[in-house]
């Protein structure tokens, strides 16, 4: 059987809210090392990769590898019934056709159980090479969210250019154009507000803002968003979930005709 | 003009 208890149930709520508009349904894969998911959006332009390590859970048991297909909209409906401070336990029997979500209030005076029907989903698993990137930018998650939101009011795509000490986000639209530059800033006294750039080679790539805005829904999960870019490769946008794992998104670049 | 790339053309099946 599979059983996993997450004391900070809010994490699971935030993860599902961050991905439910991007992917309709997905297989959640559980094995002894943890709980993970890899799924592409229906147009195969972006990919979500979630991994929650077994040791990030208060209790974790997975006797055999299981893949549980769930409709994200249904999962979201159920998790909305959990309070932000509830602990969430997921349970499923081997070969079971449901997964049970148990919500416990901090004082354990309220216990609720919701069963979600599992579904068979054909999913294509992509092999993502663990390559080194030309540039890595770590910036406050809220700042990244604001940049992609603001630029979306002007254009549909963003050109992200990284140099040794700054990252520039630029867009062009019918009403004009916009550029936002963030300089490297390693403020030791305010680590949550730091912007760090690690670069092997200057890089400039163009992406659809619609998807980056969708990725930014993961903002509540982490203080920082980490952008990893390489010439002519998909961008990786990572949100580290302290002590539990990470939620990562890949987005294919716009290609010059 | 630029076209949207697809992930399948960058990452192969695992």
């Amino acid at each position: 059987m599979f059983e996993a208890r997450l004391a900070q149930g809010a994490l699971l709520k935030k993860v599902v809210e961050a991905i439910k508009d991007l992917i309709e349904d997905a297989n959640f894969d559980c094995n002894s090392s943890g709980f993970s998911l890899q799924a592409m959006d229906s147009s195969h332009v972006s990919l979500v990769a979630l991994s929650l390590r077994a040791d990030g859970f208060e209790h974790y048991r997975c006797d055999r590898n299981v893949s549980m297909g769930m409709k994200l909209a249904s999962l979201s409906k159920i998790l909305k019934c959990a309070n932000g401070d509830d602990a969430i336990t997921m349970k499923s029997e081997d070969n079971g056709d449901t997964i049970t979500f148990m919500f416990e209030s901090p004082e354990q005076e309220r216990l609720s159980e919701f069963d979600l029907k599992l579904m068979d989903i054909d999913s294509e698993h992509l092999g993502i090479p663990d390559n080194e990137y030309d540039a890595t930018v770590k910036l406050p998650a809220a700042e990244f969210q604001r940049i992609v939101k603001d630029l979306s009011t002007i254009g549909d795509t963003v050109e992200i250019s990284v140099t040794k000490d700054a990252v520039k986000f630029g867009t062009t639209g019918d009403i004009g154009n916009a550029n936002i530059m963030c300089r490297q800033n390693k403020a030791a006294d305010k680590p949550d507000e730091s912007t760090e750039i690690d670069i092997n080679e200057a890089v400039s790539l163009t992406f659809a803002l619609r998807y980056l805005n969708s990725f930014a829904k993961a903002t509540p999960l982490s203080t920082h968003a980490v952008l990893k870019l390489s010439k002519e490769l998909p961008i990786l946008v990572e949100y580290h979930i302290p002590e539990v794992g990470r939620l990562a998104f890949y987005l294919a670049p716009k290609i010059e005709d | 003009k630029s076209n949207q790339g697809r992930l399948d053309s960058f990452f192969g099946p695992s």
Side-chain angles (χ1 to χ4, degrees):
Chain A
M1 73 176 287
F2 165 70
E3 188 173 273
R5 184 178 200 272
L6 200 54
Q8 300 169 259
L11 280 184
L12 199 60
K13 286 163 68 83
K14 290 175 190 170
V15 164
V16 172
E17 286 314 294
I19 64 177
K20 74 170 170 51
D21 296 331
L22 208 54
I23 46 176
E24 227 169 274
D25 41 47
N27 282 319
F28 288 79
D29 299 313
C30 313
N31 58 36
S32 55
S33 62
F35 186 76
S36 66
L37 168 154
Q38 192 205 86
M40 276 190 282
D41 72 282
S42 57
S43 56
H44 289 205
V45 167
S46 69
L47 179 140
V48 176
L50 166 73
S51 75
L52 304 178
R53 294 189 309 271
D55 64 18
F57 290 84
E58 214 175 23
H59 162 77
Y60 190 91
R61 175 182 163 185
C62 183
D63 299 335
R64 52 186 287 263
N65 296 0
V66 280
S67 190
M68 296 181 289
M70 298 182 219
K71 190 181 260 308
L72 270 301
S74 312
L75 178 57
S76 163
K77 277 184 196 167
I78 286 182
L79 292 179
K80 279 196 175 138
C81 301
N83 279 329
D85 55 357
D86 281 355
I88 299 181
T89 302
M90 300 180 276
K91 272 191 286 191
S92 185
E93 297 297 332
D94 288 345
N95 303 318
D97 54 6
T98 61
I99 178 169
T100 300
F101 292 89
M102 193 172 87
F103 309 142
E104 282 170 76
S105 63
E107 302 297 323
Q108 297 186 335
E109 74 278 23
R110 186 174 196 267
L111 267 175
S112 34
E113 274 194 7
F114 289 77
D115 293 335
L116 174 64
K117 285 182 196 158
L118 296 176
M119 50 200 281
D120 285 324
I121 296 166
D122 279 333
S123 70
E124 201 183 332
H125 222 260
L126 293 184
I128 300 165
D130 192 13
N131 52 341
E132 210 176 297
Y133 285 85
D134 290 341
T136 301
V137 178
K138 182 178 175 186
L139 77 171
E143 179 64 34
F144 178 63
Q145 183 174 44
R146 178 168 176 199
I147 290 169
V148 293
K149 179 171 164 268
D150 287 352
L151 294 184
S152 301
T153 62
I154 306 289
D156 297 330
T157 63
V158 57
E159 183 180 17
I160 305 179
S161 309
V162 192
T163 54
K164 199 164 67 70
D165 43 27
V167 53
K168 203 178 85 181
F169 300 85
T171 192
T172 302
D174 292 342
I175 65 163
N177 50 58
N179 276 293
I180 300 171
M181 187 185 68
C182 297
R183 284 208 180 84
Q184 171 146 265
N185 155 38
K186 294 181 185 172
D189 53 330
K190 291 178 183 166
D192 286 0
E193 295 172 23
S194 70
T195 297
E196 294 170 41
I197 296 171
D198 186 10
I199 188 169
N200 293 322
E201 204 177 322
V203 60
S204 184
L205 286 162
T206 303
F207 299 97
L209 278 163
R210 184 164 72 86
Y211 290 93
L212 296 177
N213 267 298
S214 190
F215 301 168
K217 288 180 184 159
T219 302
L221 283 167
S222 194
T223 59
H224 285 83
V226 182
L227 318 181
K228 295 188 177 190
L229 300 107
S230 279
K231 198 169 176 262
E232 292 169 8
L233 276 183
I235 186 175
L236 166 57
V237 181
E238 275 183 311
Y239 292 85
H240 290 270
I241 308 170
E243 288 160 40
V244 182
R246 67 159 201 166
L247 179 58
F249 302 93
Y250 293 84
L251 174 61
K254 292 274 186 174
I255 301 163
E256 289 301 319
D257 223 3
Chain B
K1 189 184 179 316
S2 60
N3 292 318
Q4 177 60 59
R6 280 167 57 102
L7 279 179
D8 323 56
S9 54
F10 296 96
F11 301 147
S14 65

